[in-house]
Amino acid sequence: MNLTWRTAAVLAAVMLAAGARAERFDPAAGKALGPAGGKEDFVFAVMGDNRPWVTAEDPITQNDYFKTNIGLVNASGADFAVNSGDLIRGYAEPDLLLKEWDAYDLACRAFKVPYVNVVGNHDVSTPAGEKIWLERYGPLYFSFDHKGCRFIVLNSEVIGGMERIAGEQLAWLKAELAGAKKARRIFVFLHKPLWAYRPDQGVTLNAWMREVHPLLAAARVDTVFAGHWHQYVMHPRRDGVGYVVTGGGGAEPGEVAGFFHVLRVSVKGRKASYRVVTPDGDYPPEIVTEAAARALRESLKIDPLAAPSPDGSATLTLRFANAFARPLAAEVAVDPAGTSWKTGRQTAEVAPGGEAAIAVPTATGARLFPLPQVTYRIMLDKLQIAAASLYPAVPPVVARESRLIDDFQDGNDVNACGPNGISAAGGRWVKNADHSGASRLAMTFTAGALHATGSRGKSQPPDFTYANFTTWLNRERPVDLTGYAGISFRARSARADAWELALEATVGGKALARTGRGHRVAFTPGKRWKEYRFTWREFGQPDWVTGDDRVSPLTVAAVAGLSEKKVLLERYA
């Protein structure tokens, strides 16, 4: 099979127009999807994370990548398809959620085979969203049988469940596995790949491997399929149980292995195997292993910008390691749009086991700042294995002058720059019945004002405890920012805690593309201040200088929080 994206999308559109479709599997209507017994060979398809992109202006309409994948499913010979969650964009009011679900159902009319919905975090981000799912699609976890095999669908999105399979659902799973002893094969589906969460990630403390995996191994489960991460990755088989992340259904591609795809799973006798299907061809499962993806992700970096030569010439270097079994082809380009830098481009092929240091020659032009974007794309065969646009880091700088803006301790609405609109809680830990899941400390630079706001926590029950504070610079009277190169956030904590920090820029009220990734930063107990520093290049274009989102993952385990917080303007040497 070698469909182009356009051909597959047209095929899906034709099927929709012709009304050739199959119905969604209703778990409340019966246990079997097709013949429950039998030993016939068959095929089923798996995909996940088809929701509209967060950056899309239209949060309702399903995108063409999802429709293309429906065409791939229809051409695969599958008896049915399973979608592993994040079916809509969600995180909205009930009226908008209903419109999003109507659009999803409309797009799914293009399926020619029955399809099974698995719940994702975007689908039931609030109690109101969960209520809509229950009324519209039935139970959040269930099972069904097909041709002698058992299919178990779990709910990783239990509100307040702290990303664990526990309580009634865990007891139900034990019963389902006990009742499937005569099944040819057992397959499990859920949205979040809980088996891959590190012990310090979230609050699961790797509960899956302690509480769920032993049950699956004892029952000889064949494979567990999940999404959530927008990529394809084959994780190591453990005690006979296969683990696969398939999140390429149409949402924004992940930074590594984020290509769009579906899985075609073949069951023959008592054995099962699958292929990774894209419009440009199909690939074996090991095309992207967890080890290779991790090695690429951890090695990908752009060297900090060194001082340009007297003539303005400079070099920007992308580095990465190839732990894949096939060569990787890379293209790196300097995008000087909006800067005085010169265009640069370089390509390279990296053999398996090799390391790349792709140097792109360029020049600064009249001014060093603002810095240009560096765009890279790494291909494995016809698969886009990695792609992003990043700004090069500047060497660490040392503050020679600081000006305290707010320490968030007094709880009033005044800081060093005047009224600051601080939250009623004064930066202390509060309970907010209207909390809907914000989990970032966002700083927004505007033409005329600098706004720093933060909230702590993930989508949780209304009584979940979290921190919230906000402060404004230059809200009512000018503050001269000349000579100030950035802003820093300093904290010291009575107990261990973590925050996710992000920077966004607006100019004249119009939002710009985010110029730095969100970074997860941890504050460990102690008397020493820990600092995270942001710089802006010109007119509110911020950039990260320090921070690494792979080092300190976000956690909601410790809600005692930060004991002291300070925001300062800083002049740099």
Side-chain angles (χ1 to χ4, degrees):
M1 179 174 59
N2 189 19
L3 298 173
T4 65
W5 285 110
R6 184 179 300 277
T7 301
V10 169
L11 177 61
V14 169
M15 292 174 179
L16 175 59
R21 65 181 189 272
E23 297 298 326
R24 172 185 59 84
F25 171 65
D26 182 0
K31 181 80 171 176
L33 195 163
K39 298 181 180 179
E40 306 100 307
D41 296 344
F42 69 97
V43 170
F44 67 93
V46 188
M47 70 167 79
D49 296 83
N50 59 269
R51 62 163 177 76
W53 292 21
V54 170
T55 55
E57 293 184 3
D58 179 3
I60 297 174
T61 306
Q62 294 287 325
N63 60 55
D64 287 341
Y65 300 112
F66 176 42
K67 297 172 185 177
T68 296
N69 278 337
I70 292 177
L72 295 179
V73 169
N74 292 336
S76 70
D79 286 4
F80 61 90
V82 180
N83 192 332
S84 64
D86 276 4
L87 314 179
I88 63 170
R89 196 156 89 175
Y91 292 95
E93 295 298 319
D95 289 348
L96 181 55
L97 291 178
L98 291 172
K99 293 178 181 179
E100 293 183 34
W101 284 121
D102 287 343
Y104 171 73
D105 290 344
L106 178 63
C108 287
R109 291 179 61 191
F111 277 113
K112 294 184 68 176
V113 297
Y115 60 95
V116 180
N117 291 336
V118 179
V119 67
N121 55 291
H122 281 259
D123 309 323
V124 291
S125 56
T126 63
E130 183 178 280
K131 183 174 183 291
I132 290 173
W133 178 286
L134 291 170
E135 293 175 348
R136 190 162 182 146
Y137 301 115
L140 297 163
Y141 56 90
F142 54 90
S143 69
F144 61 90
D145 297 325
H146 184 74
K147 294 183 178 178
C149 295
R150 173 68 53 89
F151 297 82
I152 297 175
V153 175
L154 297 176
N155 174 22
S156 62
E157 310 310 314
V158 179
I159 296 180
M162 300 307 223
E163 299 173 330
R164 294 176 66 176
I165 306 301
E168 293 182 1
Q169 184 175 195
L170 183 60
W172 172 87
L173 173 61
K174 292 178 181 178
E176 283 294 316
L177 294 172
K181 292 180 179 179
K182 295 183 179 180
R184 288 201 279 165
R185 295 278 83 185
I186 304 173
F187 302 94
V188 174
F189 307 85
L190 74 163
H191 179 60
K192 289 178 180 170
L194 300 182
W195 71 84
Y197 280 35
R198 299 190 306 271
D200 59 345
Q201 203 165 17
V203 295
T204 62
L205 301 177
N206 220 10
W208 178 279
M209 298 310 298
R210 292 196 325 268
E211 301 166 1
V212 178
H213 174 76
L215 302 177
L216 307 184
R220 296 177 291 108
V221 166
D222 187 284
T223 307
V224 180
F225 299 94
H228 192 54
W229 298 337
H230 300 174
Q231 59 181 193
Y232 165 75
V233 175
M234 182 187 76
H235 286 247
R237 186 170 285 273
R238 304 181 186 187
D239 304 318
V241 181
Y243 286 100
V244 180
V245 173
T246 173
E252 306 93 323
E255 183 180 359
V256 173
F259 52 87
F260 301 115
H261 68 279
V262 301
L263 303 185
R264 183 183 186 274
V265 186
S266 300
V267 180
K268 295 183 177 181
R270 301 188 68 86
K271 295 183 179 181
S273 61
Y274 71 89
R275 302 279 293 182
V276 183
V277 181
T278 77
D280 296 313
D282 64 289
Y283 298 86
E286 62 273 12
I287 191 68
V288 181
T289 65
E290 189 273 335
R294 183 179 68 254
L296 179 59
R297 183 179 66 250
E298 293 178 350
S299 63
L300 261 173
K301 68 175 183 178
I302 297 174
D303 284 354
L305 180 66
S309 300
D311 62 358
S313 62
T315 300
L316 294 172
T317 302
L318 175 75
R319 299 180 185 274
F320 65 89
N322 180 10
F324 291 82
R326 305 188 190 190
L328 295 178
E331 178 183 43
V332 189
V334 176
D335 179 3
T339 77
S340 64
W341 283 67
K342 306 301 180 185
T343 300
R345 180 178 176 275
Q346 196 68 267
T347 60
E349 182 171 294
V350 184
E355 295 185 358
I358 305 174
V360 183
T362 180
T364 63
R367 293 182 300 173
L368 178 65
F369 294 101
L371 297 175
Q373 280 190 317
V374 179
T375 299
Y376 65 83
R377 188 168 74 144
I378 301 173
M379 303 292 293
L380 188 160
D381 193 16
K382 296 180 179 180
L383 300 178
Q384 182 171 283
I385 290 297
S389 294
L390 304 173
Y391 287 95
V394 296
V397 292
V398 178
R400 60 181 174 85
E401 180 180 333
S402 298
R403 179 181 181 184
L404 178 65
I405 302 304
D406 206 332
D407 61 9
F408 299 110
Q409 298 303 304
D410 50 19
N412 62 29
D413 63 352
V414 176
N415 65 16
C417 299
N420 64 11
I422 200 165
S423 64
R428 297 180 177 88
W429 293 96
V430 297
K431 292 186 177 181
N432 185 341
D434 296 323
H435 178 49
S436 60
S439 60
R440 288 184 171 177
L441 169 69
M443 293 186 178
T444 304
F445 295 81
T446 65
L450 171 60
H451 178 211
T453 181
S455 59
R456 173 69 178 80
K458 297 174 66 178
S459 180
Q460 299 293 342
D463 62 349
F464 180 72
T465 305
Y466 77 108
N468 184 298
F469 61 86
T470 180
T471 191
W472 287 84
L473 301 182
N474 196 19
R475 189 175 188 183
E476 295 190 359
R477 65 175 182 265
V479 174
D480 185 5
L481 299 182
T482 304
Y484 288 101
I487 189 170
S488 69
F489 179 79
R490 295 178 181 176
R492 57 185 176 189
S493 179
R495 300 184 184 181
D497 194 27
W499 292 67
E500 182 171 315
L501 311 177
L503 291 178
E504 297 177 358
T506 60
V507 175
K510 182 178 180 181
L512 303 177
R514 183 174 296 170
T515 56
R517 294 183 302 170
H519 286 255
R520 293 173 176 179
V521 294
F523 297 101
T524 54
K527 297 181 179 181
R528 297 183 60 183
W529 288 93
K530 190 167 186 178
E531 176 178 0
Y532 292 91
R533 178 178 292 151
F534 314 94
T535 65
W536 52 84
R537 302 184 190 90
E538 284 188 346
F539 304 107
Q541 294 192 29
D543 186 33
W544 283 96
V545 175
T546 59
D548 186 350
D549 60 354
R550 305 185 193 103
V551 174
S552 305
L554 182 67
T555 176
V556 294
V559 295
L562 305 178
S563 58
E564 297 184 68
K565 302 173 285 290
K566 292 184 179 181
V567 173
L568 306 96
L569 277 177
E570 298 193 336
R571 295 183 189 272
Y572 299 136

